[in-house]
Amino acid sequence: MISAQTYTLANGLRLVHNHDRNTRFAVVNVLYKVGSRDEEPQHTGMAHLFEHLMFGGTPTIPDFDGILQSAGGNSNAWTDTDFTNYYDEVPIQNIETALWLEADRMAMTHFPAKSLEVQRNVVIEEFKERCLNKPYGDVPHIMRNNAFKHHTYRWPTIGATPQHIADVSQELADKFFNDFYTPSNAVLSVVGDIDFDSLVKLVEKYFGHIKPRERKVSHYDYDELTGSSITVNERRDVPHNAIYKYFMMPGRFDADYVAVDMLTEILASGRSSRFYSNITGKGRGFSTIDSSIIGCIDPGALIVNGRLLSGVSFEEGEDIIRQELDSLTNVDVSCAELEKCVNKLETNRLLNLISCTERAFNLAYYTMLGDANLINTEIDEYRKLTPAAIKETAKRIFCTNRCITLHYGPNA
């Protein structure tokens, strides 16, 4: 069990703490509940731009990374559809440096103009490298745009177009920050060898003075999980045919969420999975094939994607995929196979949580969801799954739900 203590400051900032006596490092993690789902259709990519801007310095501390590195630390961040996460790893004796730096950038009200100009260009180049110049790089844009017609999940976190980033003004950047980067919209998690009372005093010292701001209330237009299925055909300068399928699935708080997640474990987790045992391991049709979920707060998608072997048609690939999906909808998964997949999932999660950095993020994430103790108890929901529940969920996802298919191949 991972122990966690929580505390909420007067300005709304939530603190969650895990006292780890076995490390001489501390991890300071700040999760803001703002992602690409909170963007306007005409200003996409803002959350990802802010991931970069937050390292560009403030009027008070122009060199975030330089100061952290001089204290023996390092930092990083990433953007999700539902949140943006920042973390700092420092020797425990320098934890105040990390808290000071994070509080300083949470408290600022505007970004230096030079930083905005630099980071706009960095993000635009990243967009070109990842989405425009890389083979298969535009697949997320194609798939999301077809799968999510109404919800703001319909563009990737990097944005719909680099022009949106190029158009970000100083006023727009400052407004986005003040709308979402407020203490009450953040979770601060700390893992390290520091007792809770001492940590609370430090957090009050550095974060307690930050004035609360009202978080902007985002409006989300939801998509129907069921409806017509479509197939999209695209040709690009790529070496092989590939198939991508998005099966619409419920969101993070739905009772079926863990069962849908388990479907991807059964299909594609490791060499004992069905996709490897029945397809790639036997040289059938695909050089690679995988399954995963867009595990969003709101309804997302279960993804099946694979690259076809030379000479294999899209129709043949579809037949191979359909055989494997039908095996889940028509026949019960054995108790042994289900237990194996749950055990593997639990083992991987426990191994990840050995890392203080992973533990700090997960504590912040589960606190955002409403209960830090989910870090210990969520696996129980997977252990409650039965073969019958897996079969019924597979029927709902693969047989009746809307499916978006992309056939993506080389130019003629």
Side-chain angles (χ1 to χ4, degrees):
M1 295 286 287
I2 294 172
S3 62
Q5 291 180 278
T6 60
Y7 176 81
T8 302
L9 280 68
N11 58 19
L13 176 66
R14 288 171 289 172
L15 168 67
V16 56
H17 168 245
N18 170 240
H19 191 174
D20 189 337
R21 296 175 174 83
N22 298 315
T23 179
R24 298 310 303 156
F25 269 75
V27 177
V28 174
N29 190 105
V30 183
L31 183 150
Y32 293 91
K33 192 177 179 182
V34 54
S36 56
R37 77 201 287 256
D38 299 294
E39 297 164 352
E40 300 293 334
Q42 67 274 24
H43 298 302
T44 67
M46 291 291 293
H48 178 247
L49 174 63
F50 267 79
E51 175 198 324
H52 290 257
L53 277 175
M54 293 291 278
F55 290 97
T58 72
T60 309
I61 306 174
D63 187 8
F64 182 97
D65 284 329
I67 292 177
L68 190 66
Q69 289 165 9
S70 69
N74 64 84
S75 62
N76 213 329
W78 74 92
T79 312
D80 186 79
T81 53
D82 301 319
F83 61 84
T84 310
N85 192 70
Y86 304 84
Y87 68 87
D88 312 306
E89 300 166 327
V90 291
I92 187 64
Q93 62 268 29
N94 293 332
I95 188 173
E96 285 194 64
T97 301
L99 294 171
W100 169 57
L101 288 168
E102 290 294 349
D104 175 72
R105 60 184 182 180
M106 183 185 288
M108 68 177 161
T109 57
H110 70 277
F111 293 89
K114 181 62 177 178
S115 174
L116 178 57
E117 179 185 353
V118 169
Q119 297 307 326
R120 268 198 311 247
N121 292 331
V122 168
V123 172
I124 289 171
E125 289 304 312
E126 182 181 345
F127 192 109
K128 293 176 181 177
E129 179 183 353
R130 285 172 49 186
C131 306
L132 302 181
N133 301 330
K134 181 181 178 182
Y136 309 98
D138 61 345
V139 167
H141 287 85
I142 297 170
M143 294 302 293
R144 282 180 175 269
N145 190 52
N146 282 282
F148 303 101
K149 292 298 185 182
H150 305 289
H151 199 285
T152 47
Y153 288 156
R154 64 183 180 272
W155 53 81
T157 55
I158 200 167
T161 169
Q163 190 60 48
H164 286 175
I165 300 303
D167 292 340
V168 175
S169 64
Q170 184 76 55
E171 293 75 18
L172 185 61
D174 291 344
K175 184 179 187 305
F176 190 87
F177 178 84
N178 288 302
D179 281 344
F180 297 108
Y181 278 72
T182 175
S184 62
N185 201 43
V187 178
L188 168 66
S189 62
V190 177
V191 174
D193 190 9
I194 180 172
D195 67 83
F196 184 63
D197 291 339
S198 298
L199 177 62
V200 168
K201 290 178 182 178
L202 290 177
V203 170
E204 285 283 8
K205 174 183 176 181
Y206 289 105
F207 291 86
H209 71 281
I210 301 175
K211 295 180 180 179
R213 298 186 300 273
E214 185 176 352
R215 181 199 189 277
K216 177 184 177 182
V217 178
S218 300
H219 175 71
Y220 312 110
D221 293 318
Y222 294 91
D223 293 272
E224 293 293 330
L225 291 178
T226 58
S228 59
S229 297
I230 64 169
T231 298
V232 179
N233 294 280
E234 295 288 346
R235 298 295 178 265
R236 299 285 192 276
D237 185 16
V238 296
H240 302 290
N241 287 333
I243 295 176
Y244 299 84
K245 302 180 81 68
Y246 275 29
F247 296 92
M248 309 314 293
M249 64 169 280
R252 194 67 176 72
F253 297 108
D254 193 278
D256 277 347
Y257 179 89
V258 294
V260 178
D261 191 22
M262 185 51 57
L263 288 174
T264 67
E265 292 288 321
I266 294 168
L267 287 171
S269 180
R271 286 178 170 262
S272 63
S273 68
R274 295 193 177 196
F275 278 171
Y276 184 84
S277 299
N278 301 332
I279 300 177
T280 53
K282 294 181 178 179
R284 289 183 61 221
F286 289 84
S287 60
T288 62
I289 186 168
D290 197 9
S291 182
S292 59
I293 60 171
I294 300 178
C296 307
I297 289 178
D298 299 330
L302 182 152
I303 304 171
V304 173
N305 62 281
R307 295 188 186 174
L308 295 163
L309 294 169
S310 297
V312 179
S313 69
F314 287 117
E315 291 73 19
E316 291 170 322
E318 290 282 2
D319 287 342
I320 293 169
I321 292 173
R322 178 46 58 187
Q323 288 173 27
E324 292 305 316
L325 302 186
D326 284 347
S327 71
L328 286 171
T329 61
N330 296 329
V331 181
D332 283 352
V333 173
S334 71
C335 292
E337 183 180 16
L338 179 56
E339 184 178 13
K340 175 204 69 176
C341 289
V342 174
N343 287 342
K344 185 173 183 178
L345 177 69
E346 182 176 17
T347 299
N348 288 337
R349 290 192 174 196
L350 291 174
L351 288 173
N352 283 337
L353 292 176
I354 292 174
S355 162
C356 293
T357 303
E358 286 290 333
R359 208 180 316 149
F361 161 67
N362 277 275
L363 284 170
Y365 175 70
Y366 286 120
T367 300
M368 179 194 75
L369 293 182
D371 183 5
N373 196 45
L374 284 170
I375 197 171
N376 297 309
T377 62
E378 187 182 43
I379 193 63
D380 296 338
E381 299 304 312
Y382 289 85
R383 292 218 162 272
K384 293 176 185 176
L385 292 172
T386 64
I390 294 294
K391 182 179 178 180
E392 288 306 309
T393 301
K395 285 182 179 179
R396 285 194 290 274
I397 297 299
F398 298 136
C399 292
T400 61
N401 278 30
R402 182 161 51 93
C403 177
I404 312 301
T405 299
L406 170 62
H407 290 171
Y408 193 105
N411 291 319

